[in-house]
């Protein structure tokens, strides 16, 4: 079996040689810490796959001289499994003293492993589900907006309007998973309270493609991008809002060239703006709260302060930071398709992260991601922990009050 | 020409050839990649991409970022002060010894620079840079062999590099000591070699043919230095060349290395972004736009019959 370099960029191949082998990435890697799988260790992964990429280039002796070495098929399978024991949380990127973009390297590596047929079987099933049913959970896509039907005061149009200023892109997990459907329910209520002219896309919404990207199947995303972009364009919206950080990150990186002039915004940024504009008021909470940085929102998108600004605005709520915050934020274990490829490792990471949050003494751990909420909530139930896990939009809805005097302002035109 | 000089020149040529073959091999590997993930690029596209990247290096702000991350190793400082000091000592110790103590001296011997081994600044600088390297090797060995920090995987390659570096510096000190003895350099001049001179005081009690000893140690020093250069492209030492390229590449594409790239004009404003960073980002966006405009104008000029937009409209 031979690995090709065409899935890698020039910059990435230079990065393979720029590694000083300081092991800092591995020291911080939660997946390695919990799995103890040598091939999950980022430094080892980089070293072994670098050797594989260099193997077979030129004469065998010469390739060996440059560190090229082809593993046995058995070892290669173990290495491939290790490559998927990773949440793509990018902690390794944040701490790498050489500035190597390891997350991008892992994505290219997975792309190569898919071409070699070495990806976990579960990811093929996810890809098939997205191909045939346009969502990662393999439910009929017509049921995408069914969560609205369970809402007490949903409007007759079920939030699906032909034209709107803002499109709320819900995402697969929040649309279909009952454990976190409370998040879109809360967000649409907050938007309604703030007088935002918005719509959801209903069955026109398709999986954004993040699970494919994370699996190493970037080439499969094109159809979804085309459909979602067309659906947004039809509404004439100038803003697309997300409660899912992975959808947000994927749109920012993969969709934005197709939507010039359209603003992409995460719910935390939008709510912070609405609070700043006085379009939503907040009541007292009377609890000690802390914040969990979702990897795709924090490290991978650089959004750290808006959620904190929102939480600090809640009256009578004591905000405490966990030691591992912002760029050092802990991963919930739910990212990078790890839940599909190694659910027990994902659960172990979630448990360790929740335990760290318990030490803050907070009553509530607030996150801004449906997947983080799901992972931490499950860990909470398994541990019998007293700490409450909520998404930030749920907490905002809990303490929100309507501001009559400010409800006629236009979200799109006010920066 | 003296025999030892002939041997030295032959050795230099061999080492340069081994180094060049290694670097050409590495460059061929690097250029095997594309310019975007999963997309093949023609050699011409790659060349244009590299030329455009290289041109952007001359942006003043990019230079500042590159200097902070490469020359001052800012990212390591954020992780550990000890490791930062250690790596700075490795980096600057090596750079000073290579460019001042080695290249500088070679140029001086050809009359291109005015440097003498007994110049106080030269003697002091070399001993000081050697001390930096010895300190760095000491800390690295302590971390790897005594503390046995778990994330450090110590292999034969790591030991070889430390032995080579220590060999270069220790043989350098010995060489200086024997030079001071054989040439009977007086103390008031010799003391600027603050390691070499005390060493010479200790050694001169031995009754040896110091000219012969100096010659032998000179060879040890030269061979260990040459071995280091020859080994560089085939070992993790290649990060000395690849590392700055990555820092430059990352800085140029992101505006700064510490955050992932975001198409700033299309995403919502980020309250976490500091003012200097925002200014740099906006400037980068503006520069990119300017560059695209210039490129469009140049392309249009090359086409007879009007601009590319007109050509598309006509089609």
């Amino acid at each position: 079996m031979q690995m090709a370099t065409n899935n890698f960029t020039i910059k990435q191949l230079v990065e393979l040689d720029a590694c000083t082998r300081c092991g800092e990435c591995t020291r911080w890697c939660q997946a390695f810490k919990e799995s103890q799988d040598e091939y999950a260790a980022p430094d080892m992964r980089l070293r072994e796959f670098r050797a594989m990429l260099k193997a077979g280039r030129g004469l065998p002796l010469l390739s060996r001289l440059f560190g090229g070495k082809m593993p046995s098929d058995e070892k290669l399978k173990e290495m491939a499994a290790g490559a998927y024991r990773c949440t793509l949380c990018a902690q390794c990127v944040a701490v790498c003293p050489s500035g190597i973009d390891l997350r991008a390297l892992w994505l290219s590596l997975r792309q190569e492993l898919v071409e070699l047929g070495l990806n976990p079987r579960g990811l093929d099933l996810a890809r098939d589900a997205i191909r045939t049913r346009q969502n990662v959970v393999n439910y009929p896509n017509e049921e995408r907006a069914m969560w609205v039907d369970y809402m007490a005061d949903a409007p007759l149009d079920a939030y699906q309007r032909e034209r709107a200023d803002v499109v709320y892109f819900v995402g697969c997990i929040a649309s279909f998973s009952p454990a976190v459907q409370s998040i879109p329910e809360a967000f649409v209520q907050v938007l309604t309270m703030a007088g935002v002219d918005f719509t959801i896309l209903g069955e026109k919404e398709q999986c954004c493609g993040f699970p494919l990207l994370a699996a190493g199947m970037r080439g499969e995303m094109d159809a979804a991008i085309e459909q979602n972009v067309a659906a947004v364009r039809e509404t004439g919206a100038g803003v697309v809002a997300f409660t899912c950080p992975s959808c947000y990150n994927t749109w920012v990186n993969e969709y934005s060239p197709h939507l010039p002039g359209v603003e992409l915004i995460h719910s935390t940024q939008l709510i912070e703006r609405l609070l700043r504009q006085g379009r939503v008021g907040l009541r007292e909470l009377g609890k000690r709260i802390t914040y969990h940085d979702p990897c795709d929102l924090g490290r991978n998108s650089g959004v750290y302060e808006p959620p904190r600004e929102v939480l600090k605005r809640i009256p009578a709520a004591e905000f405490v930071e966990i030691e591992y915050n912002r760029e050092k934020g802990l991963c919930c274990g739910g990212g990078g398709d790890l839940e599909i490829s190694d659910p027990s490792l994902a659960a172990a990471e979630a448990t360790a992260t929740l335990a760290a949050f318990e030490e803050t003494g907070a009553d509530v751990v607030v996150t801004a991601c449906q997947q983080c909420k799901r992972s931490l909530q499950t860990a909470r139930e398994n541990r019998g922990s007293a700490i409450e896990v909520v998404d930030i939009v749920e907490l905002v809805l809990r303490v929100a009050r309507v501001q009559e005097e400010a409800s006629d302002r236009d979200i799109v035109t006010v920066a | 020409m003296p025999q030892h000089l002939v041997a030295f020149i032959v050795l230099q040529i061999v080492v340069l050839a081994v180094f060049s073959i290694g670097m050409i091999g590495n460059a061929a590997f690097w250029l095997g990649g594309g310019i975007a993930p999963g997309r093949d690029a023609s050699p011409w596209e790659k060349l244009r991409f590299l030329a455009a990247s290289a041109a952007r290096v001359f942006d003043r702000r990019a230079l500042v970022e590159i200097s902070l991350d490469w020359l001052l190793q800012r990212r390591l400082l954020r992780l550990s002060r000890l490791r930062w000091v250690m790596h700075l000592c490795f980096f600057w110790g090596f750079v000073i010894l290579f460019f001042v103590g080695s290249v500088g001296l070679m140029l001086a011997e050809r009359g291109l620079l005015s440097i003498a081994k007994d110049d106080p600044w030269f003697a002091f600088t070399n001993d000081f840079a050697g001390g930096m390297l010895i300190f760095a090797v000491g800390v690295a060995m302590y971390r790897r062999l005594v503390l046995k920090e778990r994330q450090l995987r110590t292999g034969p390659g790591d030991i070889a590099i430390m032995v080579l570096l220590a060999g270069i510096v220790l043989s350098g000190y010995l060489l200086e000591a024997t030079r001071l003895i054989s040439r009977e350099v007086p103390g008031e001049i010799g003391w600027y070699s603050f390691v070499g001179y005390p060493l010479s005081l200790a050694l001169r009690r031995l009754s040896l043919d110091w000219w012969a000893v100096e010659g032998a140690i000179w060879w040890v020093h030269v061979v260990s230095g040459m071995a280091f250069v020859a080994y560089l492209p085939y070992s993790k030492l290649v990060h000395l060349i690849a590392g700055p390229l990555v820092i430059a590449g990352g800085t140029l594409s992101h505006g700064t290395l510490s955050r992932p790239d975001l198409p700033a004009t299309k995403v919502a404003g980020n309250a976490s972004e500091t003012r200097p960073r925002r200014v740099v980002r906006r400037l980068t966006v503006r520069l990119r736009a300017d560059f695209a405009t210039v490129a469009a104008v140049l392309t249009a000029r090359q086409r007879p019959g009007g601009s590319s937009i007109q050509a598309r409209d006509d089609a």
Side-chain angles (χ1 to χ4, degrees):
Chain A
M1 211 172 276
Q2 180 79 46
M3 270 187 114
T5 53
N6 60 335
N7 277 319
F8 297 81
T9 63
I10 294 174
K11 180 173 173 278
Q12 288 178 327
L13 295 179
V14 178
E15 283 176 335
L16 292 176
D17 279 329
C19 174
T20 61
R21 301 180 199 174
C22 68
E24 198 63 28
C25 47
T26 296
R27 195 162 79 89
W28 287 82
C29 178
Q30 279 178 265
F32 171 66
K33 194 177 169 192
E34 297 300 330
S35 69
Q36 291 300 308
D37 172 5
E38 279 293 299
Y39 297 123
D43 69 322
M44 183 60 104
R45 214 186 306 165
L46 185 142
R47 194 188 295 196
E48 293 289 341
F49 284 107
R50 172 181 169 276
M52 268 185 77
L53 280 164
K54 290 201 167 190
R57 293 180 58 81
L59 299 169
L61 184 66
L62 206 62
S63 121
R64 195 64 196 260
L65 208 59
F66 285 100
K69 193 180 175 188
M70 202 62 206
S72 64
D73 285 354
E74 198 56 41
K75 187 179 168 185
L76 182 57
K77 278 180 192 160
E78 285 177 33
M79 284 162 61
Y84 282 96
R85 284 198 184 98
C86 167
T87 56
L88 301 174
C89 75
Q91 183 68 77
C92 48
V93 183
V95 299
C96 176
S98 302
I100 299 172
D101 189 353
L102 288 149
R103 184 177 184 269
L105 262 176
W106 306 146
L107 288 173
S108 294
L109 174 61
R110 287 183 179 191
Q111 216 155 304
E112 185 63 30
L113 292 173
V114 167
E115 284 180 20
L116 294 173
L118 291 169
N119 57 293
R121 173 88 185 103
L123 295 178
D124 287 335
L125 298 176
R127 179 200 54 208
D128 294 344
I130 294 170
R131 262 186 198 163
T132 54
R133 297 187 131 171
Q134 294 78 47
N135 65 73
V136 72
V137 289
N138 205 16
Y139 279 26
N141 209 44
E142 304 82 63
E143 294 175 12
R144 203 172 253 279
M146 201 175 260
W147 53 272
V148 179
D149 298 342
Y150 299 109
M151 290 178 68
D153 300 315
L156 285 175
D157 63 9
Y159 302 111
Q160 294 181 53
R161 289 122 191 185
E162 279 186 22
R163 309 284 295 177
D165 291 340
V166 178
V167 165
Y168 168 34
F169 190 89
V170 185
C172 298
I173 303 298
S175 294
F176 293 107
S177 171
V180 288
Q181 282 172 337
S182 52
I183 295 172
E185 287 177 18
F187 192 50
V188 293
Q189 289 178 73
V190 171
L191 293 178
T192 306
M193 283 174 87
V196 175
D197 173 26
F198 76 97
T199 182
I200 59 171
L201 298 174
E203 62 184 88
K204 287 183 188 167
E205 179 181 310
Q206 296 196 359
C207 171
C208 69
F210 173 77
L212 297 169
L213 191 73
M217 302 168 181
R218 184 194 290 263
E220 301 270 347
M221 286 176 68
D222 293 344
I225 292 176
E226 202 177 312
Q227 166 60 30
N228 285 326
V229 165
V232 168
R233 278 206 182 120
E234 267 178 40
T235 66
V239 177
V240 184
F242 307 85
T243 44
C244 169
S246 303
C247 294
Y248 169 68
N249 186 265
T250 304
W251 276 67
V252 166
N253 291 314
E254 306 291 333
Y255 285 60
S256 53
H258 306 283
L259 282 169
V262 173
E263 185 182 21
L264 307 175
I265 191 167
H266 186 258
S267 56
T268 54
Q269 296 169 305
L270 183 54
I271 291 172
E272 192 266 339
R273 197 184 286 183
L274 294 171
L275 291 175
R276 200 160 18 91
Q277 292 172 348
R279 298 176 63 158
V280 178
L282 298 175
R283 293 191 304 266
E284 290 187 355
L285 180 67
K287 284 192 173 177
R288 200 168 199 223
I289 55 177
T290 185
Y291 179 67
H292 166 252
D293 285 285
C295 306
D296 280 334
L297 187 64
R299 273 187 296 268
N300 292 331
S301 301
V303 180
Y304 294 113
E305 298 312 318
R308 288 176 168 81
E309 291 297 319
V310 171
L311 296 179
K312 284 173 187 171
R313 277 174 181 265
I314 300 175
E318 186 193 350
F319 181 73
V320 289
E321 281 283 14
I322 188 171
E323 183 190 349
Y324 298 102
N325 62 70
R326 295 181 174 82
E327 284 199 344
K328 291 180 182 172
L330 298 168
C331 177
C332 74
D337 292 343
L338 183 65
E339 218 182 20
I340 300 173
S341 49
D342 192 341
S344 59
L345 177 58
E349 276 199 45
T351 304
T353 298
L354 189 78
F357 275 106
E358 286 169 359
E359 285 176 20
T360 62
D363 304 310
V364 185
V365 54
V366 184
T367 187
C369 167
Q370 77 294 328
Q371 189 65 9
C372 294
K373 186 197 166 183
R374 216 159 67 116
S375 305
L376 295 175
Q377 183 69 30
T378 309
R380 175 185 178 266
E381 283 157 15
N382 292 340
R383 276 175 72 82
S385 172
I387 198 165
E388 189 185 356
V389 181
V390 296
D391 188 275
I392 195 162
V393 294
E394 296 174 290
L395 189 71
V396 167
L397 179 67
R398 200 185 294 177
V399 294
R401 57 186 168 80
V402 181
Q403 300 283 83
E404 294 294 345
E405 69 281 8
S407 59
D408 59 340
R409 289 195 210 156
D410 184 0
I411 178 69
V412 180
T413 54
V414 181
Chain B
M1 193 183 278
Q3 271 187 338
H4 79 276
L5 205 56
V6 174
F8 177 64
I9 290 169
V10 170
L11 187 64
Q12 266 186 323
I13 292 167
V14 169
V15 166
L16 204 63
V18 172
F19 176 83
S20 302
I21 290 168
M23 283 319 301
I24 289 168
N26 284 322
F29 173 67
W30 299 338
L31 292 171
I35 56 178
R39 193 174 73 80
D40 284 331
S42 68
W44 175 239
E45 280 178 307
K46 290 180 191 179
L47 199 68
R48 273 197 309 186
F49 167 76
L50 292 175
S53 303
R56 290 205 300 271
V57 169
F58 299 103
D59 172 59
R60 191 168 60 88
R61 283 179 173 77
L63 279 175
V64 170
E65 286 286 333
I66 291 168
S67 303
L68 287 172
D69 282 326
W70 175 37
L71 302 179
L72 296 180
Q73 322 251 326
R74 175 176 58 174
R75 292 174 67 88
L76 197 53
L77 176 62
R78 287 178 190 150
L79 290 172
S80 153
R81 281 188 195 161
L82 177 69
R83 286 174 52 199
W84 178 67
V85 172
M86 179 193 81
H87 210 268
L88 268 190
C89 285
F90 263 130
F91 179 74
W92 283 108
F94 175 79
V95 166
I96 293 169
L97 281 183
F98 183 75
F99 286 103
V100 177
S102 183
V103 177
L105 207 56
M106 276 196 271
L107 292 174
E109 280 167 2
R110 284 157 184 75
L112 298 168
L113 281 178
S114 172
I115 298 174
K117 287 180 183 170
D118 286 327
D119 284 348
W121 73 269
F122 183 80
F124 179 84
T125 306
N126 273 325
D127 272 28
F128 187 76
M132 288 167 82
L133 266 182
I134 284 292
F135 168 78
V137 169
V139 175
M141 283 187 154
Y142 180 71
R143 289 183 63 221
R144 285 180 182 274
L145 306 176
V146 181
L147 290 181
K148 294 186 177 166
E149 289 180 19
R150 200 180 163 200
Q151 79 272 17
L152 292 172
R153 301 172 200 268
T154 306
D158 302 292
I159 301 289
I161 289 166
M162 286 190 280
V163 167
L164 271 176
L165 281 172
I168 291 168
V169 178
L170 294 177
S171 62
Y173 282 140
L174 272 174
L175 184 62
E176 178 65 356
T178 53
R179 188 188 69 85
L180 294 170
I181 298 171
S182 62
R183 284 160 180 76
E184 295 175 352
V185 176
E188 61 267 29
I189 296 171
W191 264 113
Y192 288 100
S193 290
F194 58 90
V195 179
Y197 189 70
L199 199 58
S200 75
L201 292 180
L203 290 175
R204 73 175 72 216
R205 293 177 195 155
L206 304 170
S207 59
L208 294 169
D209 176 358
W210 288 109
W211 283 97
V213 173
E214 187 192 341
I217 293 174
W218 182 82
W219 271 113
V220 172
H221 188 61
V222 163
V223 168
S224 51
M226 296 281 191
F228 185 86
V229 174
Y231 186 46
L232 193 148
Y234 308 94
S235 66
K236 76 168 188 180
L237 285 171
V238 76
H239 81 260
L240 288 172
I241 292 159
L245 293 177
V246 166
I247 287 172
T251 305
L252 294 175
S253 56
H254 303 326
T256 166
L257 253 182
S258 44
R259 276 196 334 115
D261 192 15
L262 299 175
T265 53
K266 300 182 189 81
V267 296
N270 180 12
S272 67
E273 196 175 35
T274 58
R275 192 168 178 277
R277 213 170 258 183
R278 193 162 56 242
V279 171
V280 170
R281 176 169 59 73
R282 285 182 180 162
L283 201 81
T284 314
V285 169
R286 208 174 301 153
L287 280 173
R288 276 185 194 160
D290 291 346
F291 183 76
T293 311
V294 172
V297 169
L298 289 176
T299 318
R301 270 189 197 159
Q302 284 164 3
R303 289 184 186 195
S307 72
S308 54
I309 296 167
Q310 277 173 331
R312 198 168 52 216
D313 287 347
D314 294 343

